[in-house]
Amino acid sequence: MNNTARHDAARDAGRSALRELLGELATEGVNRTHGDFDLLPTEAQLAAMQEESAQAVAAVADATPRIAAAIDAIVPRLRAGGRLVYLGAGTAGRMGVLDASEIPPTFGTDPSLVVGVIAGGEVALRSAVEDAEDDGDRGAADLDAIGLSAGDAVVGVSASGRTPYVVGALEHARALGALTIGLACNAGSRVGEVADLAIETVVGPEIVAGSTRLKGGTAQKLVLNAISTIAMVRLGKVHGNLMVDVQATNAKLRARAERIVMLATGVDAAAASAALEEVGGSVKAAILVTLSGVSPDDAIARLASHDGVLRDALSEALAATALTTPMTAPSTTTTPTPTTPLTTPTPTTMTPLRPEETDGP
């Protein structure tokens, strides 16, 4: 047998083994419920897709304990100066890059805090670079290119759970001492096996067989949303459920910043705008100034001393204000008019935030 024949034989054997492996994966199975999908009228097709999408939501709910464990492991690393890195190929990689790109404007973070890495690089965001996922060494090299360290956390995303690019990256990251999390849509995944923690959202066969951009992509987006959002909440980027670190970089976001100050303090639009102007646009500082009466410089300093956590800075400022405010004895001839405590401001009547106003830009 010559070299060409040996090469062809090895290639055929490899393909046969891969076909057998894929045949064992739920995400590669044929959805028997909707075998006549192409024959259905449009509304029935939509109903079928919605039915299948609901399974993705249920699969993510089933994985709640593992997602919570991942978040609890990620947050201390972020607090210590580490990064959250998403890595994947194809749809999985795009989901990571998408989530990472939305964090700075939503939560006021440095773009380096949450990073998205995709097989094939920037071009793969818009065009398929399908063979990029087959190179495990490339996954490791891409992590080296961003200077991965032991203080970082890496979430490797792969619907099948066996993508070589992701497996290689996770193995390399773990060897460096980074926290590693494997996110897959099949049980018993290879990415889960090589990682410190496994999150497996078992969504089952897709309505279009093998098209894991559907339920698989939905599940991935839901999990990444949860990881990044709750991590940012734990870092003090949210007060109550208000986006208090939003970066007001356009007209819509400036209006949103004003509305957030209004909701948090009960003041009107003019007062909210003035408070934001005083503190250079910081929503947190504007709220702190408005509720506690401290100066803009003091508000910014208090936030810095509490790692940006508004609730802690506000508690300290209110306590300091109470200690320095002189007590005035009430008149014996008139009944004093009670004032509203700063800690429980009376909100201005206003229209609640619409869903599109609570999301990122």
Side-chain angles (χ1 to χ4, degrees):
M1 181 181 293
N2 60 34
N3 289 338
T4 300
R6 280 195 292 270
H7 174 78
D8 290 346
R11 179 197 61 201
D12 292 343
R15 286 178 179 171
S16 177
L18 184 55
R19 284 194 300 271
E20 184 176 342
L21 173 61
L22 293 180
E24 297 172 356
L25 300 177
T27 51
E28 295 291 329
V30 175
N31 191 318
R32 304 298 179 186
T33 304
H34 302 293
D36 60 348
F37 185 57
D38 65 325
L39 300 177
L40 298 176
T42 303
E43 287 194 8
Q45 288 175 326
L46 287 169
M49 291 192 71
Q50 291 160 7
E51 177 185 322
E52 292 295 318
S53 294
Q55 294 177 21
V57 177
V60 171
D62 289 342
T64 293
R66 303 300 292 173
I67 300 169
I71 294 167
D72 288 341
I74 289 168
V75 169
R77 288 177 179 257
L78 297 181
R79 284 198 177 118
R83 296 172 295 172
L84 171 58
V85 179
Y86 297 134
L87 178 139
T91 297
R94 294 181 193 104
M95 290 296 175
V97 172
L98 172 62
D99 196 71
S101 68
E102 292 177 337
I103 301 307
T106 305
F107 299 110
T109 65
D110 188 283
S112 65
L113 182 65
V114 183
V115 180
V117 178
I118 183 170
E122 294 289 326
V123 67
L125 291 174
R126 296 172 179 81
S127 303
V129 186
E130 299 296 355
D131 61 345
E133 72 172 54
D134 295 333
D135 190 348
D137 291 339
R138 184 72 257 171
D142 284 351
L143 289 181
D144 284 340
I146 64 168
L148 189 80
S149 72
D152 296 328
V154 178
V155 180
V157 189
S158 166
S160 68
R162 45 84 41 204
T163 306
Y165 177 84
V166 179
V167 172
L170 287 172
E171 289 176 331
H172 182 62
R174 194 171 185 181
L176 290 175
L179 172 69
T180 53
I181 299 158
L183 171 56
C185 294
N186 287 296
S189 66
R190 178 64 178 155
V191 298
E193 181 182 314
V194 302
D196 296 305
L197 294 169
I199 299 172
E200 295 172 337
T201 55
V202 184
V203 298
E206 299 284 2
I207 198 166
V208 175
S211 184
T212 52
R213 70 184 186 86
L214 300 175
K215 286 189 296 187
T218 298
Q220 290 162 358
K221 179 60 174 156
L222 289 171
V223 173
L224 299 186
N225 275 352
I227 289 174
S228 61
T229 300
I230 296 175
M232 293 302 111
V233 170
R234 296 288 176 82
L235 294 178
K237 302 293 184 180
V238 173
H239 183 71
N241 65 349
L242 298 177
M243 194 191 303
V244 290
D245 259 330
V246 62
Q247 298 299 289
T249 54
N250 60 36
K252 179 185 73 174
L253 294 179
R254 285 189 288 274
R256 180 181 295 168
E258 291 174 357
R259 287 175 59 79
I260 290 171
V261 175
M262 294 165 70
L263 285 166
T265 66
V267 301
D268 62 19
S273 179
L276 285 164
E277 184 70 24
E278 282 187 326
V279 295
S282 168
V283 173
K284 283 180 177 177
I287 293 170
L288 186 52
V289 166
T290 302
L291 289 181
S292 70
V294 299
S295 70
D297 287 345
D298 190 19
I300 292 169
R302 288 179 186 276
L303 284 166
S305 70
H306 287 284
D307 296 321
V309 179
L310 175 58
R311 194 174 298 279
D312 293 345
L314 181 59
S315 295
E316 180 189 68
L318 289 173
T321 301
L323 289 173
T324 58
T325 301
M327 297 293 292
T328 302
S331 168
T332 57
T333 58
T334 60
T335 301
T337 301
T339 59
T340 303
L342 290 173
T343 53
T344 56
T346 302
T348 302
T349 301
M350 59 189 299
T351 304
L353 290 170
R354 295 187 296 276
E356 64 268 21
E357 292 181 312
T358 61
D359 297 331

